[in-house]
Amino acid sequence: MSDPRLSVFKTYKLYVGGKFPRSESGRVYEVTDSKGTWLANAPQSSRKDARDAVSAARKAFGGWSGATAYNRGQILYRVAEMLEGRREQYVREVAAAEGLSKSKAADQVDAAIDRWVWYAGWTDKIAQVTGGGNPVAGPYFNLSSPEPTGVVAVLAPQESSFLGLVSVVAPVIATGNTAVVVASERAPLPALSLGEVLATSDLPGGVVNVLSGRTAEIAAPLAAHQDVNAIDLAGADEVLAKELETAAADNLKRVLRPQPVDDWAATPGTDRMTAFLETKTVWHPTGSLGASGSAY
């Protein structure tokens, strides 16, 4: 009789710049399910990993922000397609991470996939909602249009390992920003698996970078980093959020504060997209003042 087949354990890695490095520190930590059963070893990111992720996000920003909104929508929809194809894997990971039944985990995964599609549809519409012509006193056209803020650090929700993750990542990149994502410390596996989907979709490397490890350890250098333009504190507790907001003030980062209760299953609005947009106003003379214009 032949020996029973040994299981092939999955090696989870970070996702930085379109590649899958281990933490430069060589550290890992144990990830367990809701009952304390070991699931995997996840990389424990260091401050150096955080800096590398910021560099990758900055490098990708020009190309991603310069892409047409229609093209970004196509790519986000492609991500949803890829997630749909790996639906059963995510159902298993979410069920284990959050202690849910298979049916409830499936509901979470389906909602997360639908959310990618929802944000994909907004990429070429958000400018019409947040921009437009402004009435001014004088012979001028005055137009406002939104532009992405830049590199956004995103602390994923701790309790919603996949739906919450998608709810904070998709709106950031839909509007042309790039992201450095700190996965849920307790349940990072769905986020690390998301990197595999992003790598095999059409999303350019560096647009989304995924780190796992101790949230406070990774978030501190991101909040203080001079090349991070904004930070979403969804995954920070009250004490950590206050510390990070103070650190972020050094270079006037945009800060999205955590809400007392975030219902990730609720239909999203545009708030998480507009939180990381800047408004550019263009003045253009009309009539006898000529054809030259100015912007600020």
Side-chain angles (χ1 to χ4, degrees):
M1 185 174 68
S2 61
D3 293 333
R5 182 175 179 273
L6 296 176
S7 298
V8 178
F9 291 108
K10 182 172 180 177
T11 301
Y12 287 89
K13 297 182 180 180
L14 308 177
Y15 182 58
V16 177
K19 299 179 180 179
F20 295 93
R22 293 180 170 86
S23 172
E24 62 84 28
S25 68
R27 299 176 301 172
V28 298
Y29 71 105
E30 291 189 354
V31 178
T32 60
D33 65 14
S34 59
K35 298 179 181 178
T37 303
W38 180 87
L39 294 174
N41 289 333
Q44 187 172 332
S45 301
S46 67
R47 300 170 73 92
K48 173 69 162 55
D49 293 319
R51 292 195 298 270
D52 289 345
V54 173
S55 295
R58 177 58 63 192
K59 184 177 180 180
F61 176 70
W64 183 243
S65 61
T68 65
Y70 177 72
N71 182 235
R72 288 200 299 269
Q74 288 180 308
I75 292 173
L76 263 68
Y77 187 84
R78 174 63 174 164
V79 172
E81 288 181 356
M82 302 293 288
L83 289 173
E84 186 75 29
R86 299 177 67 164
R87 178 178 180 275
E88 292 305 313
Q89 172 194 342
Y90 282 98
V91 170
R92 292 193 302 271
E93 289 187 341
V94 171
E98 300 181 26
L100 301 176
S101 65
K102 185 175 180 180
S103 62
K104 290 184 178 180
D107 290 342
Q108 294 281 309
V109 173
D110 290 343
I113 296 171
D114 292 347
R115 192 141 301 174
W116 274 111
V117 176
W118 194 86
Y119 280 112
W122 268 103
T123 57
D124 58 356
K125 300 173 182 65
I126 190 67
Q128 281 69 45
V129 173
T130 58
N134 307 308
V136 295
Y140 300 97
F141 289 122
N142 183 262
L143 305 173
S144 293
S145 60
E147 293 187 344
T149 296
V151 175
V152 181
V154 179
L155 275 58
Q158 298 294 333
E159 73 287 351
S160 183
S161 63
F162 194 53
L163 178 56
L165 169 76
V166 170
S167 298
V168 295
V169 174
V172 168
I173 66 171
T175 52
N177 297 291
T178 56
V180 177
V181 182
V182 181
S184 165
E185 181 175 334
R186 182 183 63 82
L189 303 187
L192 296 175
S193 290
L194 178 63
E196 298 172 3
V197 169
L198 299 178
T200 52
S201 69
D202 300 322
L203 191 74
V207 172
V208 176
N209 306 273
V210 183
L211 305 174
S212 60
R214 308 306 180 195
T215 300
E217 180 182 356
I218 309 169
L222 291 175
H225 201 298
Q226 296 295 301
D227 204 25
V228 173
N229 304 110
I231 186 167
D232 184 344
L233 301 176
D237 60 30
E238 184 177 350
V239 174
L240 179 59
K242 185 175 182 179
E243 293 175 357
L244 297 178
E245 190 169 3
T246 300
D250 281 346
N251 73 330
L252 303 179
K253 288 181 179 60
R254 281 180 173 261
V255 176
L256 184 60
R257 297 168 179 82
Q259 301 301 311
V261 178
D262 273 312
D263 182 6
W264 302 113
T267 301
T270 60
D271 291 353
R272 287 191 174 274
M273 288 185 286
T274 58
F276 303 117
L277 286 174
E278 309 292 340
T279 300
K280 179 178 73 175
T281 301
V282 178
W283 294 74
H284 195 290
T286 61
S288 61
L289 292 181
S292 62
S294 61
Y296 66 86

